[in-house]
Amino acid sequence: MTENTQQQTAPTTELPTQYAPAEVEGPLYERWVERGYFEADAKSEKPPYTIVIPPPNVTGSLHLGHAFEHTLIDALTRRKRMQGYETLWQPGMDHAGIATQNVVERELAKEGKSRHDLGREAFVERVWQWKAESGGQISGQMKRLGDGVAWSRERFTMDEGLSQAVQTIFKKLYDDELIYRAERIINWCPRCLTAISDIEVEYQDDDGELVSIRYGSGDAEIVVATTRAETMLGDTAVAVHPDDERYKHLVGTEIELPLTGRRIPVVADEHVDPEFGTGAVKVTPAHDPNDFEIGQRHGLPNLAVMDERAVITAHGPFQGLDRLEARSAIVAALRAEGRIVAEKRPYVHSVGHCSRCKTTIEPRLSMQWWVKVGPLAKAAGDAVRDGKVKIHPQEMEKRYFDWVDNLHDWCISRQLWWGHRIPVWYGPDGEVVCVGPDEQPPTGEGWHQDTDVLDTWFSSGLWPFSTLGWPERTESLEKFYPNSVLVTGYDILFFWVARMMMFGLYAMDGTPPFHTIALHGMVRDQNGKKMSKSFGNVVNPLDWMDEYGSDAVRFTLANGANPGVDVPIGEDWVKASRNFANKIWNATRFALMNGATIEGPLPDASEMSATDRWILSRLNATVAQVDALYEDYQFAKLSDALYHFAWDEVFDWYVELSKTTFFAGGEQAKVSGRVLGEVLDVMLRLLHPIVPFVTEALWTTLTGRESVVIADWPEDSGFRDPAAEAEIENLQQVVTEVRRFRADQGLQPGQKVPARLELGGTALAAHEAAIRQLLRLQPEGEGFSATASLPVAGATVALDLSGTIDVEAERKRLTKDLAAAEKEKAQANGKLGNEAFLAKAPDNVVEKIRTRLAKADEDIARIQAQLANLPQA
């Protein structure tokens, strides 16, 4: 449905005196959903436009990052819907394996139980129960924000259809020998008791200790340094660089490993940096990923010395100790034997922590399931290199290639109960059978299914096509795949985006999952600091929505959204956006009360005033500008353009300049009323994708039509009037310069001043009444004395300031300011003329001084002009 076919009622000027978001937003959203505006029809002949929501965790609630991302996606889809596309914004949630299991386990702990007390089936049933009762609160919060998603299509990564998709692609990858089982080093959480992906590891600087330990003795002596002394119990070698002359005599020999009674070999490996530390490293293949690789190259044994809870299992006095307890005990024992060469404490270094429970992760050798990513990653890289997929902003391509071109095989198994269980059965005689969704698993004595579940990113990697019905060739899949664009944060470019690219190209016969990847930055506080509970700067966007309205939050977020750049946000900015929404409301209300209308065709340009032609010219230029910025995902720039057009040009200039016309009435007032109605109609439609609620309330009132959601997107009519634009720019220059002069002279904004306008034969003569009204200028009258004269834009404004200011006091103040500005200029010139200073000073310091010089020059010129314009004694 387009604007021209909408149900229409008589326009009304009835608007409350104040905009109350809390009273408007909820009912409007319910009406949009009831009328099905956000639904997508796979049978439609309209061109498709598809975006999937990055599925929020079922455990989550709306945070500023969600609000930011959803605002951008909603703006894109609302605009495309208005442009006549069959628009699908696909909603849904992720089952969030570890996070959800942790939530339910905490609930059980309150009852004094663990998941093992319930058993696997009962525990999983309990999680589904929690999901039904408490999960998914974010859906309601998305509605608060105004998300125009197709709610009837909402999906969940554990629902039946998506589970079938997961099993299908696992089977296909397995049969193509792209999934395998192997023992490798993984990130292990001793609290969650599962492998975790790189994305689930958070690194932070911790206070630790760096201990240098002497291995061997005499000529067979090597010093190694470690922050994890407890792992020495599992050392199976010491490695040095092949070209390091210090250790060549030891390569191929064995040295004593302290505390253990074992002897271990010295191996030569190019991985070792001879310039770092002593140039020798301890090798613990079962507890370090780099050491594992060294071990593989040299055939070293993998000696695990910790269990799944990070408790020491190695025989001896340290058995049964927690890793941290063992660390202290082992250092003490080494110290007692004289093996400690140096200790640095505290030693600040980056340590990985589980993002869910904050436990320090432990690299651990473990039997896991892996995806062989080589061919998949190559296809994902080639799709961008070949131009099938564009990354925006383009400079992010390098980060993408750095990742996919060096991708390691992906550990996809998790030691959890909540998630997609790996569809592999083991038989009594070592048989391994992978079962597809339409196949029966083997039965009989001794057969059992793998106990692990799949990494959450495995199912979310299928999101662009599994949500459309794949593996079935559904109408929705045919219509809406591939997605038009993916809008997501650069922080998950490597994890989620790369996985979708690999799976989409693999499962969909080489068709990538989206045409464009539009990357945005992270939301930070107003000082640019990362938002964190520990910093105390986390903001609940719902609080701001309650206080200032959803439109204010949305506009603030969009106004800061430069592609790929982090977004600072503060409450003062949300207040300013609330003021903008109020300005739109109040100005539209004024316009409606003063004859703004969309009834009938636009008058011919010959019937319009220069002010009318100017605003229509600027309107069409703004439409073209906003369109170009949308296509380039420049949300901050397009928001800024709309803000300044609406507030500055429409409200502060056009409405103010037209007041004399409206108050005078007559035919010209009707013409301007129709022009103003046209401007408001188009402006509200342009603003709608970003601030949907206030624009819906105003546009339906202005037009009497059903909804701006299904209105036509404005098009540039091509109307331009350079002469009218130049004329009004001259008028603006006159008003701006006189206002600045008045302010410099200390005059109050409402203070009236006698003035003579010498407009001559310029086009400004037609605007004398408006200029006088805007500047509070009285007719010159009897006894007029031009004590100040301002030439500007080909005209002259002569003012009589006698009796309005203390001329001598003003002259003294300005003279003092001029002296300060000249001193600042001299100091800046002195530094910039000093070759020795310029040779040593950093570039940013020199640039600051140049900026100070330019500012001083501006101040001097301004003050001198003010002094010249003062009335003579």
Side-chain angles (χ1 to χ4, degrees):
M1 184 183 293
T2 67
E3 170 205 347
N4 296 325
T5 59
Q6 289 190 40
Q7 299 174 12
Q8 187 167 354
T9 59
T12 175
T13 59
E14 297 292 330
L15 278 175
T17 55
Q18 291 184 323
Y19 177 51
E23 298 174 11
V24 171
E25 293 174 352
L28 281 184
Y29 191 86
E30 287 180 13
R31 189 170 72 194
W32 292 336
V33 173
E34 287 171 2
R35 294 181 178 179
Y37 295 156
F38 306 139
E39 296 303 323
D41 182 3
K43 293 183 171 64
S44 168
E45 295 183 1
K46 296 178 183 178
Y49 186 81
T50 316
I51 296 181
V52 293
I53 193 172
N57 288 351
V58 67
T59 59
S61 60
L62 191 75
H63 57 63
L64 269 177
H66 290 130
F68 172 55
E69 188 167 79
H70 292 198
T71 294
L72 305 187
I73 298 175
D74 198 38
L76 291 173
T77 52
R78 284 178 183 269
R79 172 174 174 261
K80 285 296 182 180
R81 187 179 294 110
M82 295 170 76
Q83 287 183 313
Y85 286 78
E86 192 62 35
T87 302
L88 170 60
W89 182 10
Q90 174 67 54
M93 285 184 291
D94 192 287
H95 65 278
I98 295 177
T100 306
Q101 181 157 318
N102 280 347
V103 167
V104 178
E105 285 195 84
R106 283 196 294 270
E107 292 295 314
L108 284 174
K110 294 176 184 177
E111 304 169 16
K113 297 178 181 178
S114 74
R115 59 179 163 129
H116 300 284
D117 295 323
L118 273 66
R120 184 167 192 144
E121 288 187 14
F123 176 77
V124 170
E125 186 62 34
R126 180 71 175 261
V127 180
W128 278 109
Q129 180 183 338
W130 174 87
K131 191 257 182 186
E133 295 173 356
S134 306
Q137 63 173 317
I138 196 171
S139 297
Q141 296 165 347
M142 288 165 57
K143 295 174 182 177
R144 284 284 312 278
L145 187 65
D147 286 3
V149 300
W151 288 111
S152 69
R153 292 173 172 265
E154 187 173 13
R155 304 302 298 269
F156 180 55
T157 51
M158 286 282 286
D159 68 26
E160 184 177 351
L162 270 66
S163 295
Q164 183 184 29
V166 167
Q167 194 171 351
T168 298
I169 201 162
F170 187 99
K171 171 69 171 173
K172 180 173 170 59
L173 288 162
Y174 183 88
D175 290 346
D176 288 345
E177 298 183 347
L178 291 172
I179 280 182
Y180 64 95
R181 194 168 184 242
E183 194 174 40
R184 299 277 182 83
I185 292 284
I186 44 85
N187 301 310
W188 181 266
C189 176
R191 155 62 184 81
C192 298
L193 299 180
T194 181
I196 61 176
S197 67
D198 292 335
I199 189 62
E200 293 160 326
V201 178
E202 292 180 350
Y203 288 90
Q204 66 184 48
D205 288 340
D206 284 359
D207 286 344
E209 59 181 349
L210 181 66
V211 182
S212 297
I213 309 169
R214 178 169 50 85
Y215 286 17
S217 58
D219 291 339
E221 177 180 299
I222 296 181
V223 175
V224 299
T226 181
T227 58
R228 301 164 66 217
E230 68 279 8
T231 63
M232 69 161 290
L233 300 176
D235 285 0
T236 55
V238 171
V240 297
H241 193 275
D243 299 330
D244 195 330
E245 293 294 336
R246 294 171 294 177
Y247 303 116
K248 275 196 172 182
H249 68 290
L250 292 176
V251 173
T253 68
E254 290 186 342
I255 61 173
E256 179 188 354
L257 178 65
L259 305 181
T260 65
R262 291 192 289 117
R263 295 183 67 79
I264 57 176
V266 178
V267 299
D269 196 281
E270 291 189 351
H271 170 76
V272 180
D273 181 359
E275 303 298 323
F276 183 77
T278 64
V281 296
K282 60 192 287 298
V283 182
T284 321
H287 293 280
D288 183 274
N290 293 322
D291 293 3
F292 178 79
E293 296 296 332
I294 294 175
Q296 292 291 293
R297 287 193 288 271
H298 297 276
L300 300 175
N302 300 317
L303 183 58
V305 295
M306 275 181 263
D307 67 11
E308 61 184 8
R309 298 185 185 275
V311 172
I312 301 297
T313 58
H315 292 296
F318 312 109
Q319 187 175 12
L321 294 180
D322 171 79
R323 56 182 166 168
L324 300 181
E325 296 172 335
R327 182 177 300 172
S328 299
I330 287 171
V331 170
L334 288 167
R335 191 183 298 115
E337 289 192 4
R339 292 284 184 175
I340 300 296
V341 176
E343 295 180 72
K344 187 174 182 180
R345 189 183 295 111
Y347 177 72
V348 178
H349 61 133
S350 181
V351 178
H353 295 259
C354 174
S355 63
R356 304 301 176 190
C357 67
K358 310 310 177 187
T359 301
T360 300
I361 63 111
E362 191 66 42
R364 184 169 188 259
L365 187 64
S366 179
M367 183 66 76
Q368 302 286 345
W369 285 94
W370 304 80
V371 171
K372 186 185 295 183
V373 300
L376 303 175
K378 182 181 184 303
D382 290 345
V384 175
R385 288 189 174 93
D386 298 344
K388 290 181 181 178
V389 178
K390 297 187 183 302
I391 294 180
H392 187 86
Q394 191 173 2
E395 55 264 28
M396 287 287 182
E397 281 187 4
K398 183 180 183 302
R399 296 179 67 179
Y400 176 78
F401 292 136
D402 286 346
W403 178 258
V404 297
D405 292 346
N406 299 284
L407 203 55
H408 297 294
D409 284 1
W410 170 23
C411 176
I412 55 172
S413 46
R414 298 292 179 266
Q415 289 65 56
L416 304 171
W417 288 356
W418 172 246
H420 297 102
R421 195 164 174 182
I422 288 176
V424 171
W425 271 255
Y426 305 103
D429 298 318
E431 302 96 330
V432 179
V433 177
C434 181
V435 177
D438 299 322
E439 300 171 351
Q440 290 296 320
T443 58
E445 187 176 348
W447 283 93
H448 63 280
Q449 186 177 359
D450 195 300
T451 56
D452 288 352
V453 301
L454 287 164
D455 177 13
T456 298
W457 295 100
F458 191 94
S459 52
S460 59
L462 314 180
W463 193 248
F465 52 94
S466 64
T467 52
L468 297 173
W470 187 90
E472 300 298 323
R473 281 284 173 178
T474 63
E475 285 184 323
S476 290
L477 189 66
E478 296 292 337
K479 177 73 175 179
F480 295 113
Y481 186 90
N483 290 190
S484 306
V485 62
L486 173 74
V487 179
T488 192
Y490 65 70
D491 57 317
I492 56 174
L493 171 63
F494 310 136
F495 306 106
W496 186 46
V497 179
R499 282 152 172 70
M500 285 190 290
M501 286 285 283
M502 291 191 296
F503 281 166
L505 289 160
Y506 174 73
M508 298 300 292
D509 302 320
T511 303
F514 18 73
H515 298 301
T516 301
I517 301 168
L519 298 170
H520 59 72
M522 311 292 289
V523 178
R524 298 181 176 270
D525 71 12
Q526 60 191 19
N527 299 313
K529 193 173 184 179
K530 180 181 177 180
M531 288 193 174
S532 166
K533 291 179 181 178
S534 61
F535 295 153
N537 61 351
V538 174
V539 173
N540 183 348
L542 296 169
D543 293 340
W544 280 353
M545 285 187 236
D546 290 341
E547 182 72 19
Y548 306 111
S550 297
D551 283 337
V553 174
R554 289 172 62 115
F555 190 82
T556 305
L557 292 165
N559 204 31
N562 289 297
V565 179
D566 288 346
V567 183
I569 184 171
E571 188 168 7
D572 286 345
W573 304 341
V574 183
K575 289 179 183 177
S577 297
R578 185 269 316 272
N579 295 342
F580 180 47
N582 288 342
K583 182 76 171 181
I584 299 170
W585 182 273
N586 293 333
T588 304
R589 184 171 178 272
F590 169 85
L592 289 170
M593 293 169 62
N594 287 275
T597 180
I598 64 161
E599 297 302 312
L602 268 177
D604 189 79
S606 61
E607 301 176 47
M608 299 179 192
S609 67
T611 308
D612 294 334
R613 298 195 305 277
W614 162 73
I615 196 62
L616 287 176
S617 185
R618 291 297 308 128
L619 175 68
N620 280 285
T622 300
V623 171
Q625 181 185 15
V626 168
D627 269 334
L629 291 170
Y630 260 117
E631 294 304 315
D632 200 32
Y633 304 100
Q634 297 280 357
F635 295 97
K637 290 181 179 179
L638 72 88
S639 299
D640 191 62
L642 287 169
Y643 176 91
H644 287 293
F645 175 73
W647 194 306
D648 298 345
E649 296 185 299
V650 178
F651 302 145
D652 280 359
W653 285 108
Y654 181 72
V655 170
E656 292 299 320
L657 288 171
S658 301
K659 279 182 178 177
T660 53
T661 302
F662 289 137
F663 295 159
E667 287 303 312
Q668 191 57 53
K670 292 180 181 178
V671 170
S672 293
R674 180 64 188 89
V675 170
L676 179 54
E678 182 75 10
V679 170
L680 291 176
D681 169 24
V682 173
M683 183 194 76
L684 291 171
R685 283 186 278 150
L686 287 174
L687 282 164
H688 172 72
I690 297 175
V691 284
F693 295 107
V694 68
T695 51
E696 172 80 341
L698 293 173
W699 190 84
T700 52
T701 301
L702 170 71
T703 65
R705 295 193 173 109
E706 182 182 339
S707 175
V708 70
V709 176
I710 51 172
D712 286 340
W713 180 253
E715 294 183 1
D716 176 11
S717 71
F719 177 81
R720 300 289 193 278
D721 193 325
E725 289 201 37
E727 183 175 325
I728 301 304
E729 284 171 11
N730 285 338
L731 182 153
Q732 291 172 326
Q733 190 177 349
V734 169
V735 172
T736 300
E737 287 300 316
V738 176
R739 279 177 174 166
R740 182 180 294 121
F741 176 77
R742 286 175 57 111
D744 288 341
Q745 306 308 316
L747 297 176
Q748 296 299 314
Q751 188 173 351
K752 294 183 178 180
V753 178
R756 180 172 63 245
L757 304 186
E758 298 173 4
L759 306 177
T762 68
L764 290 173
H767 302 284
E768 179 169 352
I771 292 172
R772 286 188 176 278
Q773 178 184 326
L774 291 170
L775 291 171
R776 303 296 190 267
L777 301 180
Q778 295 176 319
E780 48 194 285
E782 208 173 307
F784 176 83
S785 174
T787 57
S789 183
L790 301 175
V792 56
T796 301
V797 179
L799 303 171
D800 184 355
L801 301 179
S802 55
T804 60
I805 60 172
D806 185 336
V807 176
E808 284 309 310
E810 188 66 13
R811 182 173 282 111
K812 285 181 181 179
R813 182 184 71 81
L814 290 172
T815 301
K816 183 178 178 182
D817 290 349
L818 180 61
E822 288 173 338
K823 181 179 178 182
E824 174 75 2
K825 178 179 180 178
Q827 290 176 341
N829 273 327
K831 289 185 177 180
L832 293 174
N834 185 333
E835 293 296 332
F837 169 80
L838 292 177
K840 294 180 180 179
D843 291 345
N844 65 318
V845 173
V846 175
E847 187 58 35
K848 284 182 180 178
I849 295 171
R850 289 198 178 106
T851 302
R852 282 170 49 195
L853 177 60
K855 175 69 165 52
D857 281 334
E858 291 176 6
D859 289 345
I860 290 169
R862 176 179 55 80
I863 296 168
Q864 287 175 338
Q866 289 175 235
L867 282 166
N869 282 315
L870 281 176
Q872 299 301 310

